[in-house]
Structure formats: C-alpha cells, structure tokens
Amino acid sequence: MTSTRTAMSDDHGIWTQRADEASLASLESSDAFPLAVKANIAVRGLRRSAGCRVLDVAAEDADAPVVAALRHHGAVVMGMANMHELALGVTSDNAAYGPARVPSAPHLSAGGSSGGSAAAVAAGLVPLALGTDTGGSVSIPASNCGVVGFRPSTGRWPTAGIVGLSWTRDTPGVFAATVVEAARVDSWVTSSTAAPPVERPRLGIPTAFLHDLDARTEQAFHRTLDAWRPGVDVVEVDLSDVLVRTRPAEPLVVGWEAPRELASAAARALHLAPDEAFAALRSGVETADVAAFLDAIAERPVTADEYARALSLVLDARRLAADAMDRDGVDALVFPTTPAPAPPSGGGASTRHRDRDISVFELYTRHTGPGTILGAPMVTIPALAEDVPVGVTVQGRRFDDARILTLCAQLQSVLLEAASSRSTVGAGR
C-alpha cells in the first residue's frame, strides 16, 4: 500500500467526524493503513450521518460489509468523510458540515457526492477512501480532485449498511492514487482475480461526449488520447439509441427509489414510521438543492406507471449498449469524465460554461449518468492536464470489472510515464 501521512486536517472540508485516538492506535502495526469512509457507509463506533444532521444521532453497531472487507486487510478508519447532504448533489457544498474542496485548489468544489473521500486521497491523508455512486458520485470527485476513482458494476460490491438513493443504480466505490491500488481493493471485496493484459485495446469514444466541452477539458482529453494512441486503437461510437433511453430514466428511477431508500434509513435512525421519518428528514435538511429535491418529489411523486416505464428503458438501454460495443468491436468506452473542470466551491446550483449559465447537476452528470443506468464499471483516471485536474473515464461492459481494471492499469502506466517525461523535459529547460 502506498505510504501516506496520517495527520488529520480539516482545511478542505474533508471530515464530518473523526475517529478517536484509541481507534487509531492500530495504525502502529506494519500491516495497517489509514482509510476514509464516506459518511453514508456504516462504520462501527462512528455515526453514519449521510452528511445530514437529522441522521447524525448514534454510533453504528457494525461495519458495512465493504468496510469489513478492507479492515480484514489492515484498514484503520480515520473518520467519516464529508459528502453532499444525503448524496443528493454533485458539489459536496454541504450546509451542515461545510463544503469539501479540492486540496490543490481550495477555491474549487471537490465534487460530489463523495467529495470528502476524493479530497482525503488527493490531500495525502489516506491512500484509500470509500465512496458511493448513484449518478457519478465517485467519478466526478475523482475527476475534480485528480485521483483515481473506481465505480464497480452495480451489484458487484455489497450495498448493505449504506444510506442509498437507488437500488437500480447505487454501488460503493473506491478512490486511490493508482488503478493498481483500486484493483487490489476490488479483489479484497469480491475475492476476484486479476484479468490478463488486454492486447492492443480498442477504445470507443461516444460521439455525443465530444461536444460542448470546456477548452481545458478538451485539450487534456486529446492530449491523453495522443499518449495512448501508439498502443491502442480509437474509434468514435454512436450511442444515441442508448442515451435517448438513459436520459429520461435517470430522474424517474431516482425519483421513485430515493424517497423509499431515505425513508427507510431515517426510520431506522429516528425510530419512526417511514412516512414520519421522511417528513422529519425533509424538514431538517440544510442544503438548499437537497431541500428543493425532497420538496419536489414530495409534491410531485413519480407514479408507479412512470417507474415501470423507466425500468423498461433501463433494460432496453443495457441491451443496446452491449450491442453497440459488440458492433464496433470496442473493449471499452472512453470519454471526459465531466464536460468541464471543477466548478467554484460554494458557487450555487448553476455555473458559467461556455458563455452561458447552466445547472451544475446537469453539466457534471452529463457523461457519468448514462453509465450508472447501465450499471457499468467505470474507472476515472487523471488526464494529462495543465492547470486544474481533469478526469478521463473508461467504461466497460457490465460485470467486466476485472478486465477493465487491468486495461486501466495499463492506460494509467502510459500516462504516468508521459507525465514523468514532461516533467523531466520541463526541469531541463
């Protein structure tokens, strides 16, 4: 495991709760390493607030299975990492616990909803951090903070012990400095073995994800592709039939499943009936966009018929995505994780993008949301960027995680060598 300093710093809004000194004593063992855990994942002895004071009421009795798997291999939990309140946003601008920010550029949002986890790795406080992902909540913070983020196929990692939003889309995931470390965690959680190297990979770029990019993102993406081209084939692929189904399904799936997931979690924490607990949650949230979402789904609930249609769209999209990858003979899809680098911290619900104001949520989930409807594995790798972090995401077929991790380890090794060469050339000038 990569060494890291273990000082606990709150300068970037990373924590909602820290472990006590007695809990950290086992770090003195040679096999131990520090771990940050997103505040919606159960850790024995710590409070699973999900970034919401309403749920910040009692310590958990047991670890979530995903935490237990990492503890088995030496993890010592440093604390609960900050997040977008209830995981209902993409900035981690949390009104209750403060905003999580990019450690190398504190004026920028760490992304969400797993912003504190990504920031903890980027700051060098921990080598690994657990997050969760519904619509890009691992991929987006990894991109914003310049670290690796791995979102497993939905259903590959256990979700017990997690305050979630969608049983159709949710999965825990991990942040690390390298894909190799993320792959090691996947093997710990799933007992899987590494896949063999991918010979001359063929990467497909979804044409729709090449448009309306910030200039810095576009330059970093193409610089990264140029570094890969000697060893890979790159083609454009048309996913329009897939996207026309994933786009309408995204809000409907969450609109039906999130209130039920949150009501259940609140009922457990508050010892109330689910309807009463959801009402208490709705009245107690402090972050404006989260309050607006809860109000909207309470005032205009997704109907059973709408949800049924959404699930049909999900199934069709998954079939069509697999068909498209087979048709074009691609091993994986590759695209800029987000259309723009991180927005300003505390900037509100909209941001300036290419001379127009646009919803932060709409902009930053544009590329990641479809893959979460597909339930696909997604690995986000730091691109060859200049001024601010930019991420490139590699997305595979559902449950092809081991192969995608091996491929991404190959791809990252090329980028690390390219970055090293650029640094050496720059130092020699």
Side-chain angles (χ1 to χ4, degrees):
M1 187 60 59
T2 301
S3 62
T4 186
R5 58 190 174 88
T6 58
M8 299 292 281
S9 169
D10 207 14
D11 294 344
H12 309 297
I14 288 172
W15 309 102
T16 63
Q17 184 189 3
R18 305 184 194 193
D20 59 33
E21 290 300 321
S23 300
L24 301 180
S26 56
L27 274 172
E28 297 175 6
S29 166
S30 61
D31 296 328
F33 63 90
L35 173 73
V37 178
K38 188 177 179 181
N40 63 338
I41 304 175
V43 174
R44 184 177 184 179
L46 296 179
R47 300 187 303 278
R48 186 183 59 172
S49 68
C52 179
R53 292 191 197 276
V54 176
L55 301 182
D56 197 349
V57 291
E60 293 295 313
D61 295 327
D63 289 332
V66 69
V67 174
L70 271 70
R71 279 210 207 263
H72 181 70
H73 289 275
V76 177
V77 178
M78 304 295 287
M80 306 301 284
N82 198 6
M83 57 184 285
H84 206 103
E85 191 166 8
L86 298 178
L88 285 167
V90 296
T91 64
S92 296
D93 285 342
N94 188 309
Y97 299 93
R101 302 182 297 277
V102 177
S104 63
H107 63 290
L108 299 178
S109 163
S113 60
S114 309
S117 295
V121 173
L125 299 177
V126 294
L128 298 172
L130 291 174
T132 63
D133 191 302
T134 302
S137 289
V138 166
S139 307
I140 296 166
S143 179
N144 284 12
C145 292
V147 299
V148 168
F150 171 47
R151 178 205 195 279
S153 296
T154 302
R156 180 176 173 85
W157 285 21
T159 56
I162 295 174
V163 177
L165 296 177
S166 169
W167 51 84
T168 298
R169 302 171 71 184
D170 280 350
T171 179
V174 68
F175 299 94
T178 68
V179 178
V180 170
E181 291 174 318
R184 185 180 298 124
V185 174
D186 182 65
S187 72
W188 291 346
V189 174
T190 66
S191 299
S192 62
T193 56
V198 182
E199 299 293 336
R200 190 74 193 181
R202 184 175 171 88
L203 305 179
I205 307 174
T207 307
F209 295 171
L210 292 174
H211 305 305
D212 194 33
L213 301 177
D214 181 282
R216 295 165 295 176
T217 298
E218 186 170 25
Q219 290 166 6
F221 181 62
H222 287 292
R223 190 180 296 118
T224 299
L225 287 181
D226 287 344
W228 287 338
R229 282 185 195 278
V232 307
D233 296 319
V234 179
V235 297
E236 291 187 19
V237 298
D238 180 8
L239 294 183
S240 55
D241 286 347
V242 176
L243 298 178
V244 78
R245 289 163 173 82
T246 60
R247 299 298 189 201
E250 289 178 44
L252 293 174
V253 167
V254 171
W256 175 272
E257 294 175 358
R260 288 160 176 80
E261 291 269 41
L262 293 174
S264 175
R268 175 186 176 277
L270 304 177
H271 306 290
L272 295 172
D275 287 349
E276 294 176 284
F278 186 75
L281 199 61
R282 183 181 167 196
S283 65
V285 297
E286 301 175 51
T287 307
D289 59 342
V290 178
F293 175 84
L294 295 182
D295 287 346
I297 59 176
E299 293 164 6
R300 201 294 193 189
V302 172
T303 68
D305 285 345
E306 288 173 326
Y307 181 54
R309 286 196 295 274
L311 292 182
S312 291
L313 291 172
V314 170
L315 294 172
D316 283 344
R318 290 177 177 178
R319 173 180 55 80
L320 290 167
D323 289 347
M325 293 182 71
D326 290 342
R327 179 190 65 228
D328 293 311
V330 297
D331 296 290
L333 304 176
V334 59
F335 48 85
T337 308
T338 59
S345 178
S350 64
T351 191
R352 196 74 179 163
H353 177 65
R354 293 174 59 90
D355 297 323
R356 71 186 192 279
D357 290 328
I358 188 170
S359 158
V360 170
F361 186 87
E362 174 190 329
L363 180 65
Y364 286 87
T365 61
R366 182 182 296 169
H367 296 174
T368 59
T372 69
I373 285 290
L374 301 178
M378 303 163 74
V379 181
T380 297
I381 306 170
L384 295 177
E386 293 289 350
D387 300 323
V388 292
V390 172
V392 173
T393 292
V394 180
Q395 177 179 311
R397 292 171 175 81
R398 194 174 186 202
F399 296 123
D400 197 21
D401 299 52
R403 188 163 180 266
I404 289 302
L405 286 164
T406 293
L407 169 59
C408 288
Q410 297 171 225
L411 296 174
Q412 190 184 26
S413 69
V414 173
L415 299 185
L416 293 174
E417 183 176 344
S420 177
S421 298
R422 291 172 69 198
S423 298
T424 301
V425 170
R429 288 176 179 171

